[in-house]
Amino acid sequence: MLGAIIGDIVGSRWEFNPTNDYNFEWLSDENSFTDDTICTVGVADAILHNSEDFGKYIHEWCRKYPHPMGGYGGRFAQWVRSDNPQPYGSYGNGAAMRVSPVAWEAIDLEFKYLLDVAEKSAACTHNHPEGIKGAQTVALAIQYGIELPCYHPNFTQEHIKDLVETCARRAGYNINIRIEDVINRFDETCQGTVPVALWIIGESTSFEDAVRKAVSLGADADTLGAIVGSIAEAIWGIPEEMQLQALGYLPTDMKRVVLQFYRQNIRDSFIASYSDEETAKD
């Protein structure tokens, strides 16, 4: 979950000012959270309230933060403004960028529960089959990533490639991608973003490496960063310093949701030990 938030914040600066420089400045005062983080927090908050009414919580959080960096996309913005929001058949990549909390909570050896909850997290807005499939595929990749060290304590790049290829096969995605076909190509669809995210994970060696590859592709930097970051967290974890840096970009109410979620679902994470007193000081 925090991996998605970090990918979003790191990529935010480059969403409308794309870069192909892998060594871009990681964070600065030009970075901020975007709608990707707000929606991810909304999904996490629904889970903390034992609710599968994801639309209610996403809607409430987006109403609370109506003007994030980069704004909301056209049809989603209409959904946010509506007093009776309904799904609108979207297959945009928003379904995939917010799903990560589901994967950490809905641990399911046979994946049926995971895929069902992932669908519900998407369908409140993105109820097109491609939108649902994108969310389910990212959730599945995260759960495979969580399980990877259990089955392969000394996992290798080949194990990671097998992970992403398995997810791609289940979804029917082609991840035999050439960089010249996707570099500087802004694609806001699930079917145009999730395969690229899987391909990046298969080519990466650490959390930071994966996020840098995603952002410097010059595409939809914040959302691709969020999707890649969400999967990369499960595989490699996140350095403690990066976790603390990310919290520094969040308002107190979002921090509280993140910390509560980690304490409840990811207890062995460093961030789960971050104190409420420190949050209250911000």
Side-chain angles (χ1 to χ4, degrees):
M1 173 185 170
L2 195 58
I5 292 172
I6 292 172
D8 173 46
I9 293 171
V10 170
S12 63
R13 178 181 176 183
W14 310 105
E15 180 180 11
F16 301 112
N17 182 30
T19 183
N20 296 137
D21 181 6
Y22 175 87
N23 296 306
F24 62 84
E25 184 179 15
W26 182 252
L27 287 171
S28 73
D29 57 7
E30 296 181 47
N31 294 81
S32 183
F33 64 87
T34 79
D35 59 321
D36 300 32
T37 291
I38 297 169
C39 292
T40 298
V41 169
V43 171
D45 200 19
I47 291 170
L48 289 173
H49 284 87
N50 298 311
S51 174
E52 291 186 350
D53 188 354
F54 293 102
K56 173 181 181 291
Y57 286 88
I58 294 169
H59 192 253
E60 287 176 355
W61 277 95
C62 291
R63 284 284 192 95
K64 191 172 186 179
Y65 291 93
H67 304 292
M69 184 175 184
Y72 295 109
R75 294 185 69 191
F76 186 77
Q78 294 176 19
W79 183 88
V80 172
R81 290 192 297 269
S82 172
D83 292 330
N84 183 31
Q86 299 296 318
Y88 50 92
S90 176
Y91 48 81
N93 53 23
M97 58 76 170
R98 69 190 188 211
V99 75
S100 57
V102 169
W104 288 97
E105 188 273 339
I107 301 299
D108 174 15
L109 294 177
E110 295 183 356
F111 306 122
K112 185 178 185 303
Y113 177 58
L114 171 75
L115 297 176
D116 179 60
V117 180
E119 177 176 355
K120 290 174 180 174
S121 77
C124 56
T125 53
H126 295 55
N127 57 335
H128 188 283
E130 289 291 346
I132 291 168
K133 182 171 73 172
Q136 290 176 325
T137 302
V138 173
L140 191 64
I142 293 169
Q143 190 159 127
Y144 277 143
I146 294 168
E147 295 173 349
L148 186 59
C150 301
Y151 294 101
H152 304 286
N154 299 308
F155 63 86
T156 66
Q157 201 67 21
E158 290 307 307
H159 292 122
I160 296 170
K161 284 185 177 292
D162 182 61
L163 180 159
V164 298
E165 287 170 1
T166 299
C167 292
R169 281 196 304 271
R170 287 183 68 121
Y173 289 144
N174 176 17
I175 57 170
N176 294 316
I177 292 171
R178 302 181 307 164
I179 192 168
E180 54 265 34
D181 293 333
V182 292
I183 192 168
N184 299 327
R185 181 184 172 195
F186 197 97
D187 191 324
E188 294 180 297
T189 68
C190 268
Q191 58 268 41
T193 306
V194 177
V196 176
L198 293 175
W199 168 69
I200 289 171
I201 291 291
E203 298 294 317
S204 301
T205 58
S206 69
F207 176 83
E208 181 176 350
D209 180 45
V211 173
R212 285 191 176 279
K213 282 185 167 73
V215 172
S216 64
L217 195 64
D220 189 358
D222 61 325
T223 300
L224 185 57
I227 295 170
V228 167
S230 70
I231 303 170
E233 174 184 12
I235 297 171
W236 294 288
I238 306 171
E240 293 179 6
E241 181 181 357
M242 287 186 187
Q243 295 183 43
L244 291 175
Q245 283 178 326
L247 286 183
Y249 282 83
L250 299 181
T252 299
D253 55 353
M254 289 190 192
K255 287 181 190 178
R256 289 193 176 120
V257 171
V258 171
L259 295 175
Q260 186 179 350
F261 187 88
Y262 272 75
R263 288 168 187 155
Q264 182 170 304
N265 297 287
I266 320 174
R267 296 182 184 89
D268 60 347
S269 169
F270 162 76
I271 208 67
S273 65
Y274 194 77
S275 73
D276 289 320
E277 288 77 14
E278 289 174 277
T279 303
K281 294 175 187 175
D282 297 325

